[in-house]
Amino acid sequence: MCTSNMDNREPVESTALPVWELRGALSAAWDAHNRVVLVAPTGSGKTTQVCQMILQDGRNRDKQIVVLQPRRVAARTVARRVAQEMGVELGSMVGYQVRFEDVIAPETRIAFVTEGILLRWMQDDPTLSKIGAILFDEFHERNLLSDIGLALVKSLQQHSRPDLLVMVMSATLDAAPLTEYLGECAVLESQGRAYPVEMHYSEWDDDLPVWEQAAQKAAELLRETDTGDILIFMPGAYEIQSTIEELRHSKIKTDIAIIPLHGELSPQDQDRAFATASCRRIIVSTNVAETSVTLPGIRFVIDSGQARIARFDTEHGISTLHIEPISRASAEQRAGRAGRLGPGDCYRLWTLDNHAKRPERNTPEIQRMELAEVVLLLHSFGVTDAEHFDFLDKPDVERVHRAEELLVALGAITAEPHCITDTGREMLRLPMHPRYARMVIEAKKFGCMREIALFVSLVSGRDLLTRLNREDKSARRNRDGLTRLDQSDYYLLAASFAHALQNHLDYKTCYSYGVNPHVAREVAMTYRQILDILNLKEDDSGAIPLAPNEAIQRCHLVGFIDQLAVRQGGSEEFELVNGRHGTLMQESVARRSPLIVVSEIREITTRQGDKLTLIGIASAVDAKWLRELNPPQLHEMTEHVYNRLNKRVVAARVLRYNNLVIAGEALQKLDPVATGQVLANEFVYNPHPMSVPRWEREVKPWLRMVARKRTQEPALDLPEFTDEKIVQVLALAWEGGASFKDIADRPLLPAFRAQLTDAQLQALSH
Ligand code: ADP
Ligand code: MG
């Protein structure tokens, strides 16, 4: 029987840890500057000790010491450790706050919080008046919010809080760019003395799924050693589950506890990994265990070398979360988990060759993520010019502009100059991408929050529907039978999801409908989280909203208004804003609508090597809704064009979103000035214009003569008849004419002669 123990309130003596040797140096650095960069290996005591030193030093007086953590799990467990070391109750002198959990009291002096929390505090109290020191821990992770937080704190310190102590800490940080950015600051480095960790690499690249490789290695370790817990790193919850299943199938001893650890588990379930146990344990974790935390008993680390990494995909215009190889710095952090309580071993499921090819460090999030959310956040701090903000690593200007354009389209900020709007402020309160936040706000108006919560869950992650080949006739038939509603792909996605749930995510059933059961599980989780955020209860009957509802399409339109698409003729080809074209994806049901809005724009390369733009997750749009919304990009105007088929000028009332023509209505009455202009343009700029006999006979020879005279006798100062000038003269002469037939008999030469002075005309006749 394996028992575990969490509740250890005995004070712990940790002053033997390496950072305490730096105590004198740190104290001197704090006196000299109020900015310190501390680089010390994992296990030296940065996370748990430095905050205690500051407190003991007494330089902070009655203010709080805030330690920023990139992850919620770390904030909670590290706070508990420090409380235990100090022999105090968690939530009194030492506390923590993360999204959904606030364990901080008025008497709290050391607070572990995630970066988002600090930014929220800053919105309420811009000078952070209750805080005396801010420690950016694990700064090498370079999260978007820690970068923004450091920039804002730096500026705060320069302007109104020179007394604020700022520290940046990490085990694997390149200090040089950071010190240059911070300007005046002290850099302290410690060699530390974490326990040695021996590295082992794979001898060849194995094609087996990583969870099988990891399970094999774990089984081997259990056979060959008697003590020491094992920590396995996997990229995500699915791979963790697969590893656990694999471990259960392999013949390992029965008194082994197998424990999953990832960000989506409840705090209670996460705590299992941090408890000591009477038996050997295998913990299978995502990179939540990569930094900050100490898991008791770990002697062996088995690392898949992979992580889910968020990026902004400029092609799709969406954020992605793909599995990628981790950097060498991440791998070092993971290995460090084996040497925290004694010497350890790390098994890397990749070769030494492969290791050398990996990037040294992670790319900062600011350089790989979509910036709309951050630009909006900066606006809430009064930073209206994100392009020139004091970033440690500047994001690409183009991406900043794209983010601003999107925020303008969503109505979160005004067009030049950019200022945050009330809608923008409301959007900031929702912890989701601005597009989805905007949809939710619209849903409040229409009373379809549940639907939009589901919509967002369905479209914000991986594809729920699998791609069907031509051979998958039965799956296609099954899928077609799920819904008859063809006004929005929402209906198909929601029906597919409902069907998957009804069948308890059974693999066979799901795949027979072309539904990915893993994604369905993720959708269910996200749906629950969003309902939670919106303070909505999950429907008691568990019913999925499936009824047709125009409001869903209207909300979709508002969130993706810059991705409107107009059908070209009767085909599946659509024109998009900015002159782009796209083909509707096979999976889409919105095959009959002339005007749609799409959530997905994906560029692919065909087998023939051509580039093809696919568009999907569509909803039909009624132009009437657009008029009601009346965004500043929408213009309605009368346009005159020359119709070459009928050889006449025609007029239409045209509705445009930017340059995309949404709708046009032919007009009977033409504007005489405009028609003359259209005919003149057609005549001058069409390479094969209609013939106008008077032009050929009279004007052309005359223009030739003027041009000749102009070069021969510059003193005459004759005008140059450019194309533009000719259009001007013709437009006036042809005013009111709707076709070349209409104007054929009108005199032309006098209009051109009128451009010259009497003296010039006189000179020409000689
Ligand atoms: P760093 O941030 O430099 O990696 P920490 O302050 O997190 O170091 O931890 C320093 C050391 O303190 C660890 O190596 C470990 O020996 C001990 N320690 C920290 N947290 C715990 C814990 N929850 N249980 C047991 N020991 C711990
Ligand atoms: Mg740490």
Side-chain angles (χ1 to χ4, degrees), residues 225-241:
T225 59
D226 299 327
T227 54
D229 294 348
I230 301 174
L231 172 62
I232 302 179
F233 281 103
M234 283 289 149
Y238 169 69
E239 291 79 8
I240 289 176
Q241 201 47 46

Side-chain angles (χ1 to χ4, degrees), residues 177-290:
L178 188 65
T179 52
E180 191 177 323
Y181 172 70
L182 289 175
E184 193 114 316
C185 75
V187 183
L188 293 178
E189 294 199 33
S190 132
Q191 291 314 311
R193 40 150 216 266
Y195 298 96
V197 176
E198 193 176 332
M199 294 296 166
H200 309 267
Y201 290 89
S202 294
E203 277 168 37
W204 64 84
D205 288 318
D206 205 331
D207 290 336
L208 277 182
V210 278
W211 51 86
E212 285 185 33
Q213 296 182 44
Q216 278 176 12
K217 179 51 81 185
E220 192 184 310
L221 285 173
L222 290 177
R223 267 198 312 275
E224 292 171 2
T225 59
D226 299 327
T227 54
D229 294 348
I230 301 174
L231 172 62
I232 302 179
F233 281 103
M234 283 289 149
Y238 169 69
E239 291 79 8
I240 289 176
Q241 201 47 46
S242 305
T243 310
I244 292 176
E245 277 164 28
E246 203 61 46
L247 283 167
R248 297 227 161 98
H249 286 144
S250 65
K251 293 189 201 79
I252 55 173
K253 288 177 229 144
T254 43
D255 60 339
I256 303 280
I258 303 175
I259 302 166
L261 175 61
H262 56 83
E264 269 124 39
L265 292 174
S266 70
Q268 293 77 4
D269 285 337
Q270 287 174 346
D271 282 348
R272 291 181 59 207
F274 294 92
T276 51
S278 61
C279 61
R280 282 185 94 174
R281 309 184 308 154
I282 304 178
I283 296 166
V284 194
S285 175
T286 57
N287 50 10
V288 299
E290 184 174 306

Side-chain angles (χ1 to χ4, degrees), residues 46-47 137-138 292:
K46 299 178 298 300
T47 304
D137 195 16
E138 309 295 355
S292 287

Side-chain angles (χ1 to χ4, degrees), residues 69 133 168 174 222 228 330 422 524-525 547 572 591 758:
Q69 288 296 324
V168 182
D174 182 7
L222 290 177
S330 271
D422 290 343
M525 214 146 63
E572 287 158 12
R591 316 201 75 76
D758 285 345

Side-chain angles (χ1 to χ4, degrees), residues 451 454-455 458 488-495 545-547 552 618-619:
E451 284 83 349
L454 179 60
F455 198 150
L458 287 166
S488 171
D489 286 323
Y490 165 82
Y491 303 118
L492 174 63
L493 289 168
L546 293 174
I552 298 172
S619 289

Side-chain angles (χ1 to χ4, degrees), residues 12 14 17-19 40-50 77-78 80-82 84-85 137-138 169 171 194-195 274 291-296 333 336-337 339-342:
V12 183
S14 290
L17 284 166
V19 284
T42 65
S44 50
K46 299 178 298 300
T47 304
T48 56
Q49 306 306 311
V50 176
T77 60
V78 172
R80 186 165 53 215
R81 167 71 184 183
V82 173
Q84 185 196 339
E85 285 188 12
D137 195 16
E138 309 295 355
M169 313 193 292
Y195 298 96
F274 294 92
T291 48
S292 287
V293 299
T294 300
L295 296 163
Q333 287 283 347
R337 299 306 107 183
R340 293 180 75 79
L341 301 161

